[in-house]
């Protein structure tokens, strides 16, 4: 035994402390699971009240066991756990799993007991899973450890699964069994007093049997360490996560757009994306993806070839792929000629290839081979609607034989009976099979995303910009808490190299007129008033004022309006009237767990309507910044559509990186919005029109 968790996963002897004769108890179920799954090792029930349980000799205490004990599974009442753990350590056990609940999940008293437990095991250098967990499984046929009380056993396979929830653990094992998915190991982590999800990822990192790491998470214990580990491990093997608790972790009343949107679940998705971790929406989807990752090679790109024996499902598949952002491969002339040579005349030999209902297993084999061998194709979805004469198992085997000889993923969609699914679900040498094209398309998309992550250069450094941070700090320090005034806000942005629309502050109408002459008409007039955040809502923005008369009139009316709205006028802001380009938003917000977050999206009024934004956690490298810009739904708008000029995309990425540096070097900035930033086709045509910075205490 060489690795820290080996005593837990591969024990040659297991003590069950708190084993019970009562059939309806957890203490019986767990012992029963160890026995019926035929642990390759000795089992020692411990219970002072019994002589034998489940036909095994029972010991009054751990100390009374004459043999060495690798793993102790503890399920005694809560107040006895500490004593039992100490006894186990005195006995020299190699690892601990504490099933007993009633610790930090119940309040301060339990938390104190849990801290003591952690200190005890850490001082002894022995690892502990739990407390408050469902146990562990190692499905390796050489070990056959099922130290859980779950009714469903695990089949052996290639997926390491860790669940933060014990109750969901039972459901996870059920879904795995239904889908015929095999696991290497399964861990219910419980309260993670000692062993964490991060430890388990590291345990599986170099385990050759575990090809896919899957996690059900409710919260990130230590996001910084997770990032570091996940970025490294996903270079070797995929990590799949279902993250529940889609409510706001960092939700709080936020006046900035960035803060309000960041309070939602998008933050977690951005964070996982940046670590190369794939996020599934449901446990079922997680297993759908995991099956493919365990069985298929990774695709070289996003181009899909579809082969079907019915038109409808082919169209469904095409729609699903295109909607997700996959591309339909364009088959070469040579491929089409090959297909023509053996398919019936009614068949369609463009993608999706429709072989029509008469297709045989042989047709499938030849067609799938031709499509996969086309260099334009990165992966194939093969659809079969069971016709009367062909046996779908023959079709599956034909596809499997072709797929095995190639290095591109093949996913099967079989619209067949449940008997068919039962027959093929555990056949690990066959392609993964799905009920519907939509699920297969989603899996393909995640495979392609993961493959793209693997091709990306690793560990790019975050770029550094030359900035006068002492001056920025001095400006920020002048405001104890709350919003910076507009002049301070613009100066900070200027010091950080964010281009700004020319601006002047004016105390009254005369100064405003002078400012406008200096800037040059047309100008934009805005009111500055304490507590006035969303200016256009109260008529505090007037654009395109073409001369002094217009300006004077606008200023008088604006002053009247905002005073009536309860905002005494402090000053006017006069700005150059900017034209052309795309309104985008940049933002910074801080998350109690993830630290500073960057946001980018379509700006101006579009933020409120479409919320088409992406987030990134810091630090941020140049490629990640580009990913954020490219990742919004409306990216095509920024590229320029219908003859309209596109935005300077490199500049946008650069501004995001500059703001990342600002957020990291000046943690007093709690929120920042630049909205809108008008992005033209080059640097000279790009400028921030409105911004606010909120300082934390
Ligand atoms: P707020 O967000 O407080 O309502 P803004 O300063 O963002 O006020 O102005 C509202 C809208 O007016 C902007 O989204 C933009 O479309 C337009 N606008 C503001 N400043 C300028 C400017 N200098 N040039 C052109 N249009 C502007
Ligand atoms: Mg604005």
């Amino acid at each position: 035994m060489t690795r820290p968790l080996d005593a837990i996963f591969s024990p040659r002897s297991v003590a069950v402390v708190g084993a019970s004769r009562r059939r309806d108890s957890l203490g019986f179920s767990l012992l029963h699971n160890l026995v019926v799954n035929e642990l390759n090792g000795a089992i020692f029930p411990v219970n002072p009240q019994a002589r034998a349980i489940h036909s095994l000799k029972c010991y009054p205490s751990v100390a009374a066991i004459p043999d060495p004990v690798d793993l102790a599974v503890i399920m005694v009442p809560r107040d006895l756990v500490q004593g039992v753990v100490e006894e186990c350590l005195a006995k020299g056990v190699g690892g601990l799993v504490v099933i007993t609940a009633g610790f930090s999940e119940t309040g301060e008293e339990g938390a104190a007991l849990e801290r003591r437990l952690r200190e005890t095991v850490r001082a002894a250098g022995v690892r502990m899973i739990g407390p408050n967990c469902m146990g562990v499984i190692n499905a390796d046929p050489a070990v056959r450890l099922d130290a859980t009380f779950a009714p469903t056993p695990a089949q052996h396979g290639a997926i390491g699964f860790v669940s933060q929830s014990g109750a969901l653990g039972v459901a996870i094992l059920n879904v795995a069994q239904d889908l015929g998915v095999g696991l290497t190991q399964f861990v219910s982590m419980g309260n993670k007093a000692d062993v964490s999800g991060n430890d388990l990822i590291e345990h599986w990192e170099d385990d050759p049997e575990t090809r896919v790491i899957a996690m059900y998470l409710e919260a990130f214990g230590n996001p910084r360490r997770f990032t570091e580990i996940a970025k490294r491990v996903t270079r070797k093997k995929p990590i799949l996560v279902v993250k529940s608790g889609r409510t706001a972790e960092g939700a709080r009343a936020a006046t900035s757009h960035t803060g309000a949107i960041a309070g939602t679940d998008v933050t977690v998705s951005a964070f996982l994306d940046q670590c190369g971790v794939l996020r599934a929406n449901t446990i079922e989807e997680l297993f759908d993806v995991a099956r493919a990752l365990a069985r298929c090679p990774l695709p070289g790109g996003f181009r899909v070839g579809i082969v079907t024996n019915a038109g409808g499902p082919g169209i469904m598949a095409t729609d699903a792929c295109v909607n997700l952002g996959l591309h339909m491969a364009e088959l070469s002339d040579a491929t089409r000629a090959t297909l023509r040579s053996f398919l019936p005349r009614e068949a369609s030999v463009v993608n999706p290839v429709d072989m029509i209902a008469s297709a045989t297993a042989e047709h499938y084999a030849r067609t799938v081979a031709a499509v996969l061998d086309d260099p334009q194709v990165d992966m194939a979805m093969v659809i079969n609607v069971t016709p009367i004469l062909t046996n779908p198992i023959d079709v599956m085997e034909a596809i499997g034989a072709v797929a095995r000889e190639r290095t591109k993923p093949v996913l099967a969609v079989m619209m067949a009976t449940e008997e068919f699914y039962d027959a093929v679900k555990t056949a690990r040498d066959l392609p993964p099979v799905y009920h519907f094209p939509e699920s297969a398309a989603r899996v393909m998309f995640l495979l392609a995303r993961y493959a793209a992550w693997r091709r990306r250069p690793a560990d790019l450094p975050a770029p550094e910009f030359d900035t006068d941070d002492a001056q920025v700090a001095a400006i920020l320090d002048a405001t104890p808490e709350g919003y910076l005034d507009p002049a301070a806000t613009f100066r900070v942005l200027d010091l950080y190299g964010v281009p700004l629309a020319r601006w002047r502050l004016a105390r009254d109408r005369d100064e405003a007129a002078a400012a406008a002459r200096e800037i040059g008409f047309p100008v934009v007039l805005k009111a500055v008033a304490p507590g006035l955040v969303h200016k256009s809502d109260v008529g505090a923005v007037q654009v395109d004022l073409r001369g002094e008369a217009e300006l004077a009139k606008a200023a008088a009316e604006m002053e009247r309006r905002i005073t009536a709205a309860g905002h005494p006028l402090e000053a006017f802001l006069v700005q150059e009237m900017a034209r052309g380009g795309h309104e985008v938003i940049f933002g910074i917000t801080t998350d109690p767990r993830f630290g500073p977050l960057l946001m980018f999206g379509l700006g101006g009024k579009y933020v409120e309507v479409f919320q088409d934004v992406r987030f990134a956690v810091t630090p941020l490298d140049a490629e990640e910044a580009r990913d954020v810009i490219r990742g919004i739904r409306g990216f095509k708008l920024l590229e320029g559509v219908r003859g309209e000029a596109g935005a300077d995309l490199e500049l946008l990425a650069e501004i995001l990186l500059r703001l990342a540096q600002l957020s990291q070097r000046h943690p007093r900035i709690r929120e920042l919005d630049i909205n809108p930033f008008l992005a033209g086709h080059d640097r000279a045509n790009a400028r921030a029109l409105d911004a606010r910075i909120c300082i934390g205490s």
Side-chain angles (χ1 to χ4, degrees):
M1 297 197 183
T2 49
R3 294 182 308 157
L5 298 179
D6 280 351
I8 293 174
F9 285 122
S10 308
R12 268 161 301 182
S13 56
V14 180
V16 181
V17 192
S20 167
R21 274 179 302 203
R22 278 201 353 258
R23 282 190 167 267
D24 58 351
S25 69
L26 300 184
F28 179 87
S29 306
L30 192 136
L31 185 65
H32 179 73
N33 276 351
L34 281 170
V35 172
V36 298
N37 288 290
E38 300 176 24
L39 175 76
N40 186 11
I43 305 172
F44 307 115
V46 177
N47 184 337
Q49 256 101 56
R51 279 185 48 247
I53 305 178
H54 216 303
S55 315
L56 294 167
K57 175 174 160 45
C58 187
Y59 297 87
S61 66
V62 175
I65 302 171
D67 297 52
V69 172
D70 284 339
L71 170 63
V73 182
I74 298 172
M75 36 205 330
V76 297
R78 181 191 75 170
D79 293 335
L80 302 180
V81 171
Q82 177 71 27
V84 168
V85 165
E86 285 169 16
E87 199 190 335
C88 288
L89 296 175
K91 163 86 183 156
V93 303
L96 296 158
V97 173
V98 180
I99 307 281
T100 309
F103 289 88
S104 61
E105 81 280 12
T106 60
E108 192 35 52
E109 192 198 340
L113 290 174
E114 189 172 308
R115 280 196 296 276
R116 193 163 154 225
L117 216 50
R118 172 184 17 234
E119 282 157 21
T120 307
V121 299
R122 294 233 164 131
V126 168
R127 303 308 309 261
M128 171 181 73
I129 288 179
N132 184 28
C133 76
M134 197 192 72
V136 299
I137 292 176
N138 184 352
D140 180 348
V143 179
R144 297 191 307 269
L145 170 77
D146 185 345
T148 71
F149 50 83
T152 319
Q155 291 168 14
H156 185 229
I159 301 163
F161 204 118
V162 46
S163 171
Q164 198 166 339
S165 151
L168 221 90
V170 176
I172 288 165
L173 292 172
N174 283 335
V175 177
Q177 182 166 48
D178 283 351
L179 293 171
V181 179
L183 305 176
T184 50
Q185 285 147 9
F186 171 86
V187 182
S188 148
M189 292 193 290
N191 295 357
K192 307 190 282 183
D194 177 41
V195 173
S196 67
N198 289 335
D199 294 329
L200 290 161
I201 299 177
E202 289 197 303
H203 174 75
W204 287 317
E205 176 176 6
D206 293 313
D207 172 25
E209 297 285 312
T210 302
R211 293 213 302 280
V212 179
I213 297 171
M215 317 181 85
Y216 171 81
L217 295 179
E218 283 164 356
F220 292 95
N222 180 346
R224 295 277 151 196
R225 190 164 163 244
F226 180 88
T227 310
E228 202 180 292
I229 296 173
K231 279 188 170 175
R232 182 183 76 229
V233 174
T234 49
R235 297 263 151 206
K236 304 180 197 168
K237 56 185 72 171
I239 302 177
L240 282 164
V241 164
V242 172
K243 165 77 174 63
S244 73
R246 289 191 163 231
T247 47
E249 249 176 294
R252 55 161 187 266
T255 41
S256 72
H257 289 299
T258 312
I261 303 172
T264 65
D265 186 62
V266 289
T267 320
V268 171
S269 289
F271 168 70
L272 293 175
D273 267 2
Q274 267 176 277
C275 300
V277 171
L278 299 174
R279 184 175 193 177
N281 295 312
T282 61
I283 298 288
E284 190 168 356
E285 186 178 289
L286 181 145
F287 279 124
D288 276 351
V289 183
R291 283 190 288 146
L293 286 165
R295 292 188 197 180
C296 300
L298 290 176
F302 287 78
R303 299 165 307 174
V304 180
I306 295 172
V307 175
T308 178
N309 68 343
I315 295 168
M316 277 165 76
T318 306
D319 285 351
C321 288
V322 170
N323 283 338
L324 284 164
L326 293 165
H327 308 305
M328 290 296 284
E330 192 163 327
L331 300 178
S332 70
D333 293 345
T335 306
R336 288 207 300 270
T338 309
L339 295 174
R340 262 289 155 251
S341 72
F342 62 85
L343 288 176
R345 252 186 332 119
E346 299 77 9
S348 163
V349 298
V350 295
N351 194 14
V353 177
D354 183 357
M355 305 178 296
I356 71 170
S358 58
T360 61
E362 169 75 13
H363 284 130
Y364 267 97
R366 294 177 72 179
T367 304
V368 174
V371 168
L372 282 179
D373 291 341
D374 190 313
Q376 296 297 316
V377 172
D378 296 313
M379 53 192 153
M381 187 192 306
V382 185
I383 304 170
N384 178 261
V385 179
T386 309
I388 303 159
L389 292 176
T390 320
N391 180 347
I393 295 194
D394 294 343
V395 172
M396 259 323 269
E397 276 168 1
I399 303 168
V402 172
R404 272 194 297 281
E405 284 164 15
R406 305 212 164 39
T407 53
K408 295 177 183 177
V410 176
L411 278 69
V413 174
M414 305 293 286
M415 300 195 170
T417 59
E418 282 311 308
E419 289 81 70
F420 162 80
Y421 274 91
D422 282 338
V424 299
K425 68 185 180 185
T426 55
R428 310 226 191 281
D429 57 340
L430 292 180
V433 51
Y434 303 89
H435 283 86
F436 294 105
E438 289 86 349
S439 359
R442 173 100 186 125
V443 171
M444 290 180 135
F445 175 67
L446 290 176
L447 288 189
R449 280 267 299 270
Y450 179 61
W453 164 260
R454 290 273 293 254
R455 286 192 297 271
R456 268 181 57 147
D459 294 327
L460 291 175
E464 269 198 49
F465 300 93
D466 193 8
T467 48
D468 186 345
D469 290 287
Q471 214 178 321
V472 172
I475 297 172
L476 299 181
D477 287 344
T479 299
E481 202 180 343
Y483 285 99
L484 293 190
D485 63 47
T489 304
F490 285 141
R491 261 186 244 121
V492 167
L493 293 179
D494 193 37
L495 285 166
Y496 255 77
V498 177
L500 300 172
R502 268 176 294 139
W503 63 278
R504 291 283 180 278
L505 271 184
R507 268 170 305 184
D508 53 31
R509 286 177 227 166
D510 290 340
E511 278 191 26
R517 280 192 299 273
E518 211 181 317
I519 289 171
F521 286 98
V523 294
V524 174
L525 183 74
K526 301 182 187 180
V528 179
L532 175 54
V533 179
H534 298 292
K535 295 178 290 296
S536 358
D537 292 352
V538 293
V541 178
Q542 277 289 314
V543 299
D544 204 16
L545 302 170
R546 284 148 192 268
E548 289 196 26
E550 261 184 57
L551 176 68
K553 184 159 168 276
E557 282 169 8
M558 187 176 291
E559 179 161 6
R560 197 163 29 72
R561 259 198 315 269
I562 73 151
T563 315
H567 295 287
L569 183 86
E570 203 169 82
F572 289 110
L573 177 71
V574 183
Q575 279 183 318
E576 73 176 285
M577 173 72 200
R579 290 179 204 278
H582 306 265
E583 288 198 349
V584 297
I585 179 170
F586 289 99
I588 298 173
T589 184
T590 43
D591 182 282
R593 284 195 172 276
F594 297 107
L597 294 175
L598 277 296
M599 189 186 88
F600 171 80
L602 293 186
K605 46 189 182 283
Y606 297 114
V607 199
E608 270 135 85
V609 182
F610 298 121
Q611 290 210 347
D612 183 10
V613 297
R614 296 276 294 189
F615 281 85
V617 293
T618 51
L620 194 66
D621 70 38
E623 201 48 40
E624 287 170 334
R626 290 186 195 107
D627 282 347
V628 171
I629 310 285
R630 283 192 292 251
I632 64 167
R633 293 193 300 279
F635 177 64
K636 284 214 169 88
L637 286 173
L638 300 184
E639 280 184 302
V641 284
R642 306 211 160 182
E644 195 183 42
D648 181 345
L649 302 172
E650 271 302 298
L651 174 68
L652 297 181
E654 182 194 311
I655 290 175
L656 205 58
L657 292 165
R658 287 178 176 275
L659 293 176
Q661 177 171 319
L662 177 66
S663 71
Q664 288 195 287
R665 293 197 182 167
H666 300 280
R668 289 196 69 224
I669 296 180
R670 198 171 68 184
E671 284 177 10
L672 173 153
D673 262 353
I674 302 178
N675 184 33
F677 182 94
L678 197 61
H681 63 278
D682 64 9
R683 195 176 285 263
N685 286 287
R687 63 210 70 183
L689 306 186
D690 181 34
R692 42 185 159 265
I693 295 178
C694 185
I695 300 293
S697 47

